[in-house]
Amino acid sequence: MRLAGFGFRLWRSDESGLGVRMKRQTAGPELERLVTLIAKLPGLGPRSARRVALFLLKKRDVLMIPLAEALMLAAEKVRPCGTCGNFDAIDPCAVCMDSGRDPGLICVVEDVADLWALERASAIRGRYHVLGGVLSALDGVRPQDLRIDSLVARATLPEMREIILAMNATIDGQTTALYLTERLAYLPVRITRLAQGVPVGGELDHLDEGTLLAALTSRREF
Amino acid sequence: MGEAARADDCSVCASRLAVLRLTLHEWRSFSGLELEIDSRPVVLAGANGAGKTNILEAISLLGPGRGLRGAELAELGRRPAAADESTADWAVSALLEGAEGPLRVGVGIERDTGPPRRIARLDGRMAGPAELARHLRIVWTHPGMDRLFSGAAGERRKFFDRLAMGFYPEHGQIASAYERAMRERQKVLEDQGDPLWLDALERRMAETGASLAAARVDTQRRLMQALDRRESSVFPQADLDLIGEMEVGFLAGEPAGAIETRFMATLRAARGRDRAAGRALSGPHRADWPARHRAAGRPAAECSTGEQKALQLSILLAYARALADEWGSPPLLLIDEAGAHLDSRRRDALWGEILDLDVQAWLTGTDIELFSGFGPNAQIFSAGNGRLKAVPLHSGGRGAFHAQASGPSDS
Ligand SMILES: [Zn+2]
């Protein structure tokens, strides 16, 4: 590179694009498979995958084996909750079973990550409903591809009073919220959405807890 | 603040938006280029193909949107030597002075997660399009826009929507949201999908469309005010009109709610028609900005190319003045082939207005002599072989030129 020291280094990927495979055969198929799989994790490229693999190998007993066991156990036991879509080893999940929660309040989120973010902030007194994505005709996500029918069924329960639509402030997130409003309009429940505090394009999972609380306390009716 | 006070007030002069350093990396014809300048206008002179427009395009990409050529991300990287290699990852960064102090901006391409996308940083932090629009007001004209008023309405919309972004930084994002909702609606129509989904998408179109229309109406009003304030100049006076079904409502002073409701009803009634047509046949995406040549008393669309160009410059200069009044700084003004279609009287008047506005204009031209009217008040570079060379046009100049350029390696 001719010009060193400029800001654009910031975006230059240090993943050279050479791919996962090391150029000469430096490692056996066991290790290559491990690196290939780690590289599929979000936020990790081939180079950082090699670093992670090496780290694990060095911490064989204290990290690698316990991690492998934890992965096996989670893969075997943890399933989406049949009621709300949250992940847990029991069904209904711990959140749905928690009798201390308001049975008349459901907070609708796009993804389990959003549910966890709201739980970290202790922001919701009620329970959740995970849609599993947002509507997008161009990406082939239709209403029947999301957990919408089960939401409508839950909203019809006699104890239901309020449904908070906590979609992300993305274009598709907001369209999905509008659609749900139309679907739920005939029911005697209050439908609210997050108001101030959620930046456009911001994802719930990335908001700090104070912002989340502010967004929730200032929620308003559609 | 009055205009007379502005011209003499150097605390204001010092804080206008200007590029002080521009760095290109693997950009178009340049493997690397660093340009250090001050806030005076910049002239890039040289033969066609010397890369002058590439530099203007790089500056245009510092703001939101797809820049001066409307190019795809992947086109922007320098072409590799071998045909089977993909284009390089480009980056453009700049140090600017803005109305609120120095500003570091960097734009580049990122491919680590999913398909390549443009990322931008402002002072080291990731910045979205509205934030870029708030700090970097950049407008341009180039030979492809010479017949702006007689050409396609879409080009006029693009031109005026960019001007609207100067007053309404979210305008571009709202336009994207509107277009996304419109394309989604079209797909749901084709798939014969859920009518409630169509309702939701049409509501989105109405809400975002109303914001677009309202911003356009206000922009048209501000532009007309600024045009009317212009002293009689060698540039012709333009009268701007704005045509569009939602825009007309705002022009008539109707409340936004009523305009939205009516547009939703229009869309709902037009579902069958739009499905058959393959696109939405009405809405703010079909708005138009016709103009009239005031003195000649006829539509700008009927004027000669030269007269259309003069009208366009008249609008840009009025706009620059309006932005300076609104934000304390005029925008960056990029004029590709600045001398084209202008006689020497208009050329000198343009240079004069640029200096008077105290705007950092970036001008290109094939002949360096075209810019002699600037005297020592512009920074002149000759471009050739992918290099830039500072040209001290008059020995009495401030001598502040300092340019380093390198590349390209493909010629
Ligand atoms: Zn559950």
Side-chain angles (χ1 to χ4, degrees):
Chain A
M1 184 151 73
R2 267 200 190 142
L3 299 168
F6 296 119
F8 45 71
R9 272 276 178 86
L10 290 169
W11 309 290
R12 301 281 297 161
S13 156
D14 53 8
E15 318 295 357
S16 59
L18 291 174
V20 176
R21 194 171 292 275
M22 296 174 200
K23 269 187 175 166
R24 264 182 293 172
Q25 198 64 35
T26 331
E30 301 84 2
L31 194 45
E32 254 194 28
R33 181 167 154 73
L34 178 63
V35 172
T36 309
L37 289 172
I38 294 174
K40 289 185 174 164
L41 295 175
L44 295 183
R47 184 161 151 181
S48 28
R50 285 195 291 274
R51 208 159 48 225
V52 168
L54 192 59
F55 187 81
L56 288 171
L57 288 164
K58 286 177 183 167
K59 307 251 176 201
R60 192 178 178 283
D61 293 329
V62 292
L63 188 61
M64 195 173 193
I65 291 170
L67 177 65
E69 286 167 356
L71 286 172
M72 281 308 298
L73 195 65
E76 188 187 325
K77 301 270 187 199
V78 177
R79 294 271 188 278
C81 168
T83 307
C84 75
N86 185 23
F87 281 120
D88 205 339
I90 50 172
D91 187 3
C93 71
V95 176
C96 286
M97 295 289 276
D98 180 357
S99 58
R101 289 174 185 260
D102 182 348
L105 179 67
I106 290 181
C107 179
V108 185
V109 292
E110 293 175 16
D111 194 86
V112 177
D114 300 322
L115 186 161
W116 289 354
L118 289 161
E119 278 297 284
R120 275 199 305 277
S122 310
I124 299 289
R125 292 172 300 106
R127 297 197 173 85
Y128 296 90
H129 195 86
V130 180
L131 286 180
V134 285
L135 291 177
S136 170
L138 295 164
D139 298 326
V141 185
R142 302 158 300 166
Q144 57 267 42
D145 301 316
L146 299 176
R147 305 180 69 256
I148 290 177
D149 288 340
S150 57
L151 171 65
V152 175
R154 287 178 79 190
T156 322
L157 296 173
E159 65 267 29
M160 207 51 69
R161 290 188 335 276
E162 180 179 353
I163 293 178
I164 305 173
L165 301 178
M167 321 290 62
N168 286 309
T170 54
I171 295 174
D172 291 340
Q174 292 307 298
T175 302
T176 306
L178 277 177
Y179 173 76
L180 293 177
T181 311
E182 307 271 1
R183 282 285 299 264
L184 300 169
Y186 72 99
L187 292 168
V189 290
R190 199 174 153 230
I191 297 167
T192 56
R193 62 182 162 133
L194 301 190
Q196 304 306 315
V198 182
V200 174
E203 292 174 17
L204 282 185
D205 190 30
H206 294 128
L207 293 183
D208 64 78
E209 289 159 17
T211 313
L212 268 179
L213 276 174
L216 274 163
T217 47
S218 62
R219 67 185 189 264
R220 53 186 176 205
E221 221 136 329
F222 257 104
Chain B
M1 189 188 300
E3 287 173 21
R6 173 174 307 280
D8 296 324
D9 182 352
C10 272
S11 66
V12 175
C13 315
S15 65
R16 70 190 169 287
L17 182 63
V19 178
L20 301 180
R21 186 170 66 226
L22 179 71
T23 309
L24 310 182
H25 176 75
E26 298 289 350
W27 173 263
R28 294 282 193 188
S29 53
F30 298 93
S31 62
L33 178 126
E34 188 183 316
L35 190 59
E36 285 196 31
I37 45 184
D38 60 43
S39 57
R40 289 173 295 159
V42 179
V43 169
L44 307 170
N48 289 329
K52 309 179 302 271
T53 310
N54 295 345
I55 295 176
L56 260 52
E57 185 185 28
I59 296 169
S60 73
L61 254 291
L62 294 172
R66 279 166 43 184
L68 183 137
R69 287 184 172 114
E72 296 292 334
L73 279 181
E75 293 171 30
L76 298 170
R78 194 168 59 91
R79 293 244 171 272
D84 59 338
E85 285 178 63
S86 62
T87 53
D89 284 356
W90 55 271
V92 174
S93 57
L95 173 69
L96 298 103
E97 66 179 11
E100 291 137 32
L103 198 63
R104 281 182 301 120
V105 188
V107 180
I109 188 167
E110 197 238 31
R111 311 175 193 265
D112 281 2
T113 50
R117 61 190 187 109
R118 187 179 101 138
I119 54 169
R121 284 174 187 261
L122 262 180
D123 284 332
R125 290 186 309 110
M126 296 289 265
E131 208 180 339
L132 287 180
R134 210 166 287 125
H135 289 92
L136 292 145
R137 299 187 166 85
I138 308 172
V139 288
W140 54 79
T141 177
H142 55 74
M145 297 160 69
D146 278 351
R147 297 180 66 76
L148 184 71
F149 298 105
S150 54
E155 293 301 310
R156 271 189 300 286
R157 244 185 342 263
K158 237 195 283 174
F159 175 76
F160 285 105
D161 277 338
R162 174 149 285 271
L163 302 193
M165 246 190 264
F167 301 113
Y168 294 91
E170 291 83 13
H171 194 66
Q173 250 179 318
I174 294 171
S176 307
Y178 174 84
E179 272 157 37
R180 170 88 190 177
M182 181 172 70
R183 284 188 288 125
E184 285 273 309
R185 172 180 176 266
Q186 202 57 41
K187 184 77 173 74
V188 178
L189 281 174
E190 279 165 26
D191 298 348
Q192 313 251 355
D194 187 338
L196 289 179
W197 193 1
L198 289 172
D199 286 350
L201 289 165
E202 287 165 3
R203 185 177 290 277
R204 288 284 289 165
M205 285 176 71
E207 286 171 358
T208 50
S211 301
L212 288 182
R216 285 171 179 166
V217 166
D218 188 51
T219 299
Q220 187 251 8
R221 184 183 59 80
R222 288 163 184 260
L223 284 173
M224 277 313 298
Q225 279 175 1
L227 281 161
D228 284 339
R229 274 206 309 273
R230 273 166 67 76
E231 304 283 298
S232 72
S233 132
V234 297
F235 288 100
Q237 195 61 289
D239 281 319
L240 296 177
D241 207 350
L242 180 52
I243 300 172
E245 57 183 296
M246 295 191 97
E247 285 81 357
V248 164
F250 284 104
L251 284 167
E254 267 185 88
I259 296 169
E260 286 179 23
T261 307
R262 197 180 51 234
F263 185 49
M264 276 169 63
T266 305
L267 287 171
R268 181 194 280 265
R271 285 177 187 175
R273 186 196 67 182
D274 289 350
R275 180 192 294 129
R279 65 202 169 100
L281 292 176
S282 64
H285 62 289
R286 309 264 292 171
D288 197 7
W289 295 73
R292 290 184 75 80
H293 189 300
R294 189 179 290 178
R298 58 192 166 113
E302 293 170 12
C303 293
S304 69
T305 306
E307 241 15 52
Q308 289 192 41
K309 177 94 176 190
L311 283 166
Q312 196 189 132
L313 287 168
S314 189
I315 292 165
L316 281 174
L317 292 166
Y319 171 73
R321 182 80 70 190
L323 274 198
D325 288 346
E326 175 85 12
W327 303 106
S329 166
L332 293 178
L333 190 54
L334 314 177
I335 308 183
D336 195 22
E337 296 300 337
H341 303 297
L342 300 180
D343 58 22
S344 63
R345 188 180 53 114
R346 279 192 171 151
R347 238 171 11 236
D348 287 339
L350 177 57
W351 308 165
E353 285 213 45
I354 284 170
L355 292 174
D356 191 46
L357 267 167
D358 204 16
V359 54
Q360 191 186 46
W362 288 70
L363 309 144
T364 72
T366 40
D367 184 0
I368 213 160
E369 280 308 310
L370 291 176
F371 304 96
S372 60
F374 274 114
N377 297 314
Q379 307 164 83
I380 302 193
F381 297 91
S382 74
N385 294 329
R387 288 166 187 279
L388 288 186
K389 207 171 71 192
V391 180
L393 199 68
H394 289 260
S395 50
R398 273 191 265 168
F401 312 140
H402 174 65
Q404 308 149 358
S406 65
S409 51
D410 62 339
S411 67

